Amino acid sequence: MSASLYASTAAQFVRGLQNLSALLEKGAAWAQENGKSEEEILNTRLAEDMYPLARQVQITSDMSKGAIARLAGIAAPAMEDTETTFAQLQERIAKTLHFIESVNPQQLEGDESRPIVVKGKNFELNFTAHSYVTTFAVPNFYFHVTTAYNILRHVGVKIGKSDFIGAI
């Protein structure tokens, strides 16, 4: 028996975004308690060729809402990628959660072999719905959540595995 596309995506994305929101709350509190500017924290990156914290959150949002939209055959809400504060990133996460939760689970189900196309500026990736979920959407989502977590740890925010995983 295979997992439903809803369980493999939306259910995980909601939990991951809620946990990311909680991580950002701790990051904002830590910055204030330690006299660090939000700009400094949100522009921190683990390596020069990696995106900073704010962009990791934006990509997490984009990956999750884009995946749900593609699987449901609907348009994802546009977001400008202009967030520069913890509060703005929290608002973006809330909008992303609202969108994901507005999609009926049945909208995601169906033929797992149906084509899913991801178009970028200079590329086009072709998947089946199943391979899109398992090899692209979910791994990318967790990569960016994990990187955001690691940036917060790197700057000194006191978070651990239970903060990443969330309530069990």
Side-chain angles (χ1 to χ4, degrees), residues 77-92:
M79 297 183 188
E80 296 296 318
D81 297 338
T82 57
E83 296 85 6
T84 59
T85 67
F86 280 106
Q88 290 169 343
L89 289 169
Q90 291 287 12
E91 184 177 329
R92 183 185 182 116

Side-chain angles (χ1 to χ4, degrees), residues 2 26 39 51 70 76 90 118 138 147-148 150 155:
S2 65
K26 289 186 176 195
E39 180 182 17
Y51 289 121
R70 283 184 187 96
Q90 291 287 12
V118 177
V138 172
T147 303
N150 287 332
V155 298

Side-chain angles (χ1 to χ4, degrees), residues 34-138:
N34 289 277
K36 303 289 183 179
S37 73
E38 288 192 9
E39 180 182 17
E40 178 184 352
I41 303 303
L42 296 176
N43 286 313
T44 298
R45 55 183 80 219
L46 294 177
E48 193 169 316
D49 65 343
M50 292 180 79
Y51 289 121
L53 177 58
R55 186 73 183 121
Q56 298 295 338
V57 176
Q58 292 164 345
I59 294 171
T60 300
S61 165
D62 290 343
M63 186 57 58
S64 57
K65 69 185 173 74
I68 298 307
R70 283 184 187 96
L71 291 168
I74 60 176
M79 297 183 188
E80 296 296 318
D81 297 338
T82 57
E83 296 85 6
T84 59
T85 67
F86 280 106
Q88 290 169 343
L89 289 169
Q90 291 287 12
E91 184 177 329
R92 183 185 182 116
I93 290 171
K95 287 178 184 177
T96 304
L97 285 166
H98 177 74
F99 168 70
I100 293 170
E101 292 170 339
S102 74
V103 175
N104 185 310
Q106 286 74 33
Q107 288 177 264
L108 303 183
E109 303 307 334
D111 181 10
E112 290 187 9
S113 65
R114 70 184 180 276
I116 300 289
V117 178
V118 177
K119 293 182 181 182
K121 290 180 183 177
N122 301 316
F123 67 89
E124 180 176 295
L125 301 173
N126 294 283
F127 301 95
T128 65
H130 180 264
S131 68
Y132 171 68
V133 167
T134 61
T135 67
F136 188 79
V138 172

